Amino acid sequence: MSTPTPTNALARRWKMDLDLSAAKDGSDWSSVIGITEFNQSAEPNIEDSSDYDSGGWAGNTKTGQAWEVSLTVNRRINDQVKVYHPTHEALRLASFAFGSSSEVHVRYYDRDGLPEAYEGTALVTWAPSGGEYTALDQVEVTLTGTGPLVPITNPVA
């Protein structure tokens, strides 16, 4: 029996959901549609913990971690009732709010069911891209984590 040839994962494998419930308890997940670019990072804070007992070798200790997701979305509208897509509007409104209203509960995961999946709470930066008369209405969204980014079971696995 032959082993299947591995294939390359694609950048478009990422899917993001936004919790639209008032309690932000994960009871009302809705897809953030129109994503055209998606980048994630979870950078550790590393401090030098070298001492005389290390025999001259440097020591390092992870003392913290920060996470961020940046994405570009094509704005989606319902032109019959003159509203934007609910997840886009929730992100936009959170970017102007303060306190708990400025935080969104998100999860993102591999849409093909592979094991990578994460959940957390983030602050929103909303920056419309602008453009020429032929351009689509796109927005650069940055989600800056406030608290942990937790690995979860992929909801489509």
Side-chain angles (χ1 to χ4, degrees):
M1 180 174 197
S2 66
T3 303
T5 304
T7 60
N8 292 317
L10 301 176
R12 67 176 182 251
R13 69 190 175 99
W14 291 107
K15 182 171 177 57
M16 176 172 276
D17 296 336
L18 187 65
D19 181 4
L20 296 179
S21 69
K24 298 179 185 169
D25 60 2
S27 62
D28 187 14
W29 292 112
S30 186
S31 293
V32 177
I33 63 171
I35 296 173
T36 63
E37 189 171 337
F38 185 95
N39 296 293
Q40 61 172 323
S41 66
E43 297 295 327
N45 186 71
I46 306 290
E47 296 293 332
D48 184 346
S49 58
S50 303
D51 56 32
Y52 287 3
D53 300 320
S54 65
W57 290 97
N60 291 287
T61 301
K62 179 178 172 181
T63 62
Q65 188 138 356
W67 65 275
E68 182 176 279
V69 174
S70 59
L71 55 145
T72 303
V73 295
N74 286 333
R75 290 293 297 276
R76 299 292 172 91
I77 61 170
N78 179 329
D79 63 352
Q80 301 301 305
V81 291
K82 307 298 183 206
V83 295
Y84 288 104
H85 189 272
T87 56
H88 295 181
E89 193 61 0
L91 289 167
R92 183 184 71 83
L93 292 173
S95 76
F96 287 99
F98 292 91
S100 62
S101 295
S102 69
E103 297 177 348
V104 294
H105 183 203
V106 298
R107 69 181 181 187
Y108 60 96
Y109 50 92
D110 185 294
R111 70 178 63 241
D112 297 322
L114 290 166
E116 273 191 281
Y118 308 95
E119 182 176 337
T121 300
L123 299 173
V124 181
T125 302
W126 178 269
S129 297
E132 297 182 24
Y133 75 99
T134 57
L136 295 174
D137 185 9
Q138 291 188 319
V139 178
E140 308 291 330
V141 178
T142 303
L143 302 172
T144 304
T146 89
L149 181 65
V150 180
I152 59 171
T153 300
N154 188 325
V156 298

